[in-house]
Amino acid sequence: MQISDEKVISIADMNKWYGHFHVLKDINLNVHRGERIVICGPSGSGKSTLIRCINRLEEHQQGSINVDGIELNNDLKNIDAIRREVGMVFQHFNLFPHLTVLQNCTLAPIWVKKMPKKEADAVAMQFLERVRIPEQADKFPGQLSGGQQQRVAIARSLCMNPKIMLFDEPTSALDPEMIKEVLDVMIELAREGMTMICVTHEMGFAKTVANRVIFMDGGQIIEENEPEEFFNNPQSERTQLFLSQILAH
Amino acid sequence: MTTITKLPNGGKVYAGDLPDKPAPIRTDGLVAWMRDNLFNGVFNSILSLSALALVLYVLPPVLGWLIFNANWVGGADACRVNPDGACWPFVSARWEQFLYGFYEKSERWRIDILLWMLAIGIVLMVWEKTPGRHLIAMFMLFVYPVLAFFMMYGIVAVNVYWIAVPLLLLGVLFATLAGGFFRVIGFLLMLGGVAMLWQVGSGAVQAIHPLGDRALPIVDTPQWGGFTLTLVIALSGIVASLPLGVLLALGRRSKMPIISLLSTVFIEFWRGIPLVAVLFMATIMFPLFLPAGVTFDQLLRAVIGVALFASAYMAEVVRGGLQAINKGQYEGAMALGLPYSKMMRLVVLPQALKVVIPGIVNTFIGLFKDTTLVLIIALFDLLGIVQASIADPNWSIQSVPYTGYAFVGISFWICCYSMARYSRYIEGKLHTGHKR
């Protein structure tokens, strides 16, 4: 798991408000190529909002976000360019229910990258094999279990060959027995050197693959450390409280 | 069989599978269905029996009048002798007029061809195994209306510009947007257009080219009528109102305030006035705004009025569908890098339109029936022509008006019910078993 010195995401002094509500406060974060970052924190702490700012699903009002050398501003060209580089997996999968699994995977390559259909199909099948559901290619998302749907969603993102993957609580909507199959796919992806930012409550996953854990509360980054130090020796009181709450039972 | 082992601490372990037993009462079949749905309680049983009594009371006289006591053969005299049944000879004597209106008798073959093309086209589009269904749909949507107009209205001279310029534009469109086979066709079309223009430019061909013997004589729109006119107005309205309605719905939900405002004003304007008023305005007020000497076909004005009126309703139906689409669908599409137009076309609209198929077809059916209102601006659609025929002194028999209206009612019902059935079928077919 090689991490290079090259920065792929740099967020500097970023602030965001919803009306008068200050959701993100002075966020500074650099992500290097190959890094696997886990963001955790209580609900409403702004962790999802933070990663949704990276591909402009949410707009920030102050500071700068730079993704792979592209400045994120109101220029639609830049936004489109960044979205092509950044894949995203959502809590509720957000698969397109009117398209088959295969069509879900080939939609963006065909219409955004202008890939010929045959090639797109081949690429999609390759990624569906990697997430271990090639046999479901012609089914509709509604016919699949939650875990299978989330793996399709991961494959769909990978089909665009992104440099960075964002995961927004990918296992929170899943039944307990399906969480492992999704985490296994994510762990594999991490081993292959994908740059990943995951918002998750799966502390086991954080311990296994993350090389940095970020704890957020009240819209700011409270603590940032290597996983081992973070879990065994949390410095801030709020981190200690949070960890004691989620690890208590 | 299951064996139950008791554990020392009071717990139990069940081993083995329980066998399937037959149900104690029938849960399927007609008897079970009637028991569960018609007679599952005193109140429901009373309701079922009263409904049955009502049907038995109403149905025999209706069927008797329409079918068993009706006059099927003979002429007006037969109907005079038996006044207790429908007078179907009236319909068979007049059916040509009901179908074609006052359209020139010698030219009615033109309508026949168009109606057969329409019927075959619809069957081919509805039947799923038709090879090249998309091409047929494109033909019916884009070529057929133009063809139908010239066939019905007639054509005595060809203006070469009117062929060359659309050909050129279509060619450019194909050559730039399509690939492969269609791109080649695009270049050929462009070449054809340029060749025609060049011929006119060099003086080899006259710009306005009389057709001579091959001309289709003009049959002006006041002569159009009957069921043909109903179809002309209804189909133009249906074909125009859906795309217009989609654009208006997208406009109304747009984040750009001007577009949203304009769409809203348009929709609320057309929804706020009755169709009768729209038709009156199109007939009486609209010509006042035109410069002297400029005329604008009466039928065309009515068609535009009906189409705009229907598109306002359609817009609200489609907007309902757009609102039913989860925000996650937009986010999923955006995160994949799809720009707005493709996100709408490929992800949002297919789902939104599917949700509101019942509403869309409802609007179509409403529009189809509303076409009868053109009666008040002196256009004779099916209802208008039947009503006019009833006044014929040769047929002044008591049962004739009832028969005429029954015929109109049945004709409309068949058209509308077919649309409703097709809509149900499409809903079932597009249902992909999803939960959102």
Side-chain angles (χ1 to χ4, degrees):
Chain A
M1 289 192 248
Q2 199 66 44
I3 298 167
S4 75
D5 289 340
E6 182 196 354
K7 282 184 211 165
V8 278
I9 299 176
S10 49
I11 300 173
D13 301 322
M14 194 259 278
N15 281 280
K16 174 173 176 58
W17 290 264
Y18 284 132
H20 293 295
F21 179 54
H22 198 168
V23 263
L24 291 175
K25 298 173 182 167
D26 291 330
I27 304 290
N28 283 288
L29 177 67
N30 288 317
V31 181
H32 297 93
R33 193 175 297 290
E35 260 198 303
R36 284 124 2 238
I37 293 177
V38 163
I39 304 179
C40 60
S43 66
S45 59
K47 49 199 192 312
S48 281
T49 311
L50 170 59
I51 68 164
R52 287 157 60 86
C53 280
I54 295 172
N55 64 352
R56 232 338 137 84
L57 292 183
E58 305 277 355
E59 197 178 335
H60 62 282
Q61 279 85 35
Q62 210 177 64
S64 73
I65 299 177
N66 190 300
V67 181
D68 205 30
I70 309 162
E71 187 66 33
L72 182 61
N73 48 30
N74 283 327
D75 190 341
L76 284 177
K77 267 193 191 143
N78 287 6
I79 295 174
D80 282 344
I82 287 175
R83 284 177 180 166
R84 276 196 294 269
E85 309 264 292
V86 179
M88 188 163 198
V89 174
F90 299 86
Q91 181 178 1
H92 295 288
F93 330 135
N94 296 356
L95 293 175
F96 308 132
H98 62 303
L99 301 176
T100 63
V101 164
L102 187 66
Q103 287 167 336
N104 262 281
C105 293
T106 57
L107 187 79
I110 289 175
W111 292 93
V112 179
K113 281 193 165 174
K114 312 280 178 210
M115 198 185 274
K117 187 178 174 298
K118 268 190 188 164
E119 193 186 331
D121 281 350
V123 170
M125 283 314 293
Q126 181 195 326
F127 282 111
L128 286 174
E129 257 156 52
R130 260 180 58 181
V131 300
R132 292 183 282 276
I133 34 176
E135 72 282 357
Q136 313 282 10
D138 293 322
K139 285 196 183 162
F140 287 99
Q143 298 166 304
L144 269 52
S145 73
Q148 289 172 322
Q149 290 192 45
Q150 193 60 296
R151 284 185 283 149
V152 171
I154 295 173
R156 179 176 77 173
S157 286
L158 292 177
C159 282
M160 286 296 279
N161 200 14
K163 291 186 178 145
I164 301 151
M165 285 287 284
L166 307 175
F167 292 85
D168 189 1
E169 307 204 22
T171 55
S172 301
L174 296 176
D175 290 339
E177 74 267 26
M178 294 171 182
I179 291 177
K180 188 178 172 295
E181 63 187 53
V182 172
L183 288 181
D184 284 348
V185 167
M186 289 169 63
I187 290 168
E188 244 179 69
L189 205 57
R191 298 241 156 87
E192 286 159 20
M194 175 65 80
T195 311
M196 295 163 71
I197 304 181
C198 310
V199 171
T200 182
H201 298 294
E202 295 298 329
M203 292 306 135
F205 173 78
K207 284 176 193 163
T208 334
V209 299
N211 57 308
R212 200 153 34 122
V213 179
I214 291 171
F215 174 71
M216 285 181 74
D217 193 10
Q220 46 184 324
I221 296 177
I222 302 288
E223 193 162 341
E224 188 181 331
N225 212 333
E226 289 171 0
E228 198 161 325
E229 275 294 289
F230 178 86
F231 288 110
N232 298 337
N233 193 11
Q235 298 299 307
S236 134
E237 235 171 77
R238 286 203 254 181
T239 318
Q240 287 161 11
L241 179 67
F242 175 74
L243 287 178
S244 72
Q245 276 164 348
I246 62 164
L247 299 175
H249 51 87
Chain B
M1 283 308 289
T2 359
T3 49
I4 304 172
T5 322
K6 286 207 170 127
L7 302 177
N9 64 354
K12 290 178 196 163
V13 179
Y14 298 77
D17 291 323
L18 293 171
D20 292 340
K21 283 185 237 166
I25 50 168
R26 290 203 62 177
T27 53
D28 55 358
L30 183 66
V31 175
W33 182 86
M34 279 174 55
R35 190 190 59 225
D36 289 347
N37 295 290
L38 298 179
F39 301 105
N40 61 346
V42 177
F43 182 64
N44 224 351
S45 304
I46 294 173
L47 273 187
S48 300
L49 291 175
S50 345
L52 185 70
L54 190 69
V55 169
L56 289 179
Y57 179 70
V58 171
L59 209 56
V62 169
L63 289 180
W65 189 82
L66 279 175
I67 300 169
F68 302 115
N69 291 336
N71 302 290
W72 291 94
V73 286
D77 300 332
C79 296
R80 265 195 201 94
V81 173
N82 169 22
D84 297 331
C87 180
W88 296 119
F90 168 68
V91 174
S92 47
R94 294 301 187 109
W95 75 268
E96 284 198 323
Q97 208 180 16
F98 292 171
L99 184 58
Y100 306 108
F102 307 115
Y103 204 84
E104 207 69 60
K105 273 211 171 88
S106 56
E107 302 298 323
R108 285 180 180 170
W109 59 271
R110 280 149 54 176
I111 293 183
D112 289 338
I113 292 180
L114 288 173
L115 287 178
W116 278 112
M117 277 176 78
L118 182 67
I120 294 171
I122 287 177
V123 168
L124 288 179
M125 282 192 293
V126 169
W127 193 50
E128 267 152 47
K129 287 170 197 153
T130 311
R133 220 163 125 228
H134 283 93
L135 287 178
I136 293 171
M138 297 295 255
F139 175 83
M140 292 306 290
L141 217 53
F142 296 110
V143 184
Y144 181 79
V146 180
L147 187 78
F149 173 76
F150 283 110
M151 292 262 302
M152 281 196 70
Y153 185 73
I155 182 165
V156 287
V158 174
N159 184 335
V160 179
Y161 287 112
W162 280 74
I163 298 180
V165 172
L167 223 58
L168 200 65
L169 290 179
L170 204 68
V172 170
L173 207 71
F174 270 32
T176 46
L177 292 182
F181 176 64
F182 284 101
R183 179 167 245 165
V184 176
I185 289 188
F187 280 116
L188 288 177
L189 290 178
M190 271 162 72
L191 214 66
V194 171
M196 278 185 203
L197 287 179
W198 187 72
Q199 292 248 301
V200 174
S202 66
V205 175
Q206 279 181 304
I208 294 175
H209 195 74
L211 285 172
D213 291 346
R214 279 165 297 170
L216 291 174
I218 302 285
V219 181
D220 211 353
T221 52
Q223 286 171 275
W224 300 12
F227 189 63
T228 319
L229 185 74
T230 299
L231 280 182
V232 167
I233 299 172
L235 291 181
S236 329
I238 285 173
V239 169
S241 67
L242 185 58
L244 214 57
V246 169
L247 286 181
L248 283 170
L250 291 177
R252 188 165 186 173
R253 280 171 61 87
S254 164
K255 278 184 191 141
M256 286 174 269
I258 304 271
I259 292 182
S260 163
L261 182 72
L262 287 179
S263 308
T264 309
V265 167
F266 183 94
I267 292 169
E268 296 305 345
F269 172 78
W270 288 101
R271 274 207 309 175
I273 43 178
L275 182 57
V276 175
V278 173
L279 292 172
F280 267 133
M281 281 200 288
T283 324
I284 299 161
M285 279 173 64
F286 184 71
L288 298 179
F289 299 117
L290 289 176
V294 177
T295 55
F296 205 70
D297 188 83
Q298 161 99 333
L299 174 61
L300 184 60
R301 273 179 276 158
V303 165
I304 292 175
V306 169
L308 294 182
F309 187 81
S311 67
Y313 281 89
M314 193 59 77
E316 288 299 280
V317 170
V318 174
R319 192 167 68 95
L322 289 172
Q323 269 163 354
I325 302 305
N326 197 309
K327 195 164 152 252
Q329 292 292 310
Y330 292 86
E331 290 179 350
M334 284 194 281
L336 285 170
L338 288 169
Y340 177 84
S341 59
K342 283 175 189 156
M343 169 174 82
M344 283 298 170
R345 186 156 60 93
L346 301 167
V347 175
V348 178
L349 277 176
Q351 296 182 58
L353 292 179
K354 189 174 79 181
V355 173
V356 292
I357 286 174
I360 291 174
V361 176
N362 196 29
T363 309
F364 283 167
I365 289 176
L367 184 152
F368 193 85
K369 292 189 299 182
D370 280 352
T371 57
T372 50
L373 288 174
V374 298
L375 183 65
I376 59 147
I377 56 166
L379 291 174
F380 288 90
D381 75 317
L382 181 61
L383 178 63
I385 212 105
V386 169
Q387 199 152 351
S389 309
I390 288 167
D392 183 347
N394 295 330
W395 288 93
S396 66
I397 305 162
Q398 206 194 355
S399 60
V400 161
Y402 302 137
T403 310
Y405 290 128
F407 174 72
V408 174
I410 292 169
S411 310
F412 271 95
W413 185 81
I414 290 173
C415 293
C416 295
Y417 189 64
S418 319
M419 284 196 258
R421 288 307 307 183
Y422 187 62
S423 126
R424 287 282 297 276
Y425 164 76
I426 286 285
E427 272 174 68
K429 196 176 78 97
L430 292 182
H431 186 74
T432 52
H434 64 268
K435 36 190 180 188
R436 209 175 278 114

